[in-house]
Amino acid sequence: MDNDTGQPNPIRRLVQWAITPPQSYGVYLAALALMFTLSFYAGTMKPKHAPAPPVAAPSAPRN
């Protein structure tokens, strides 16, 4: 019962598939494209600025 040979873990099978040489190049390029896309998207987002405080008119010139 300890030597039960059931189906292997699907995540482990995916990792084994992804680290073989032909697929590893594609996985690497896909990861680069994903990182570029996410960083480009994050760079284009505009930060939310608080409204600027009202500018007070000077009452007397400074010397």
Side-chain angles (χ1 to χ4, degrees):
M1 301 225 173
D2 290 334
N3 295 333
D4 188 34
T5 57
Q7 290 291 330
N9 188 359
I11 295 174
R12 187 175 203 154
R13 287 181 58 204
L14 179 66
V15 170
Q16 287 293 331
W17 175 84
I19 64 174
T20 57
Q23 289 88 353
S24 64
Y25 301 127
V27 170
Y28 178 74
L29 291 175
L32 280 178
L34 180 66
M35 287 182 359
F36 172 76
T37 303
L38 290 176
S39 64
F40 180 78
Y41 176 71
T44 59
M45 294 195 308
K46 297 194 186 319
K48 295 180 181 177
H49 294 290
V55 178
S59 58
R62 294 183 184 181
N63 289 340

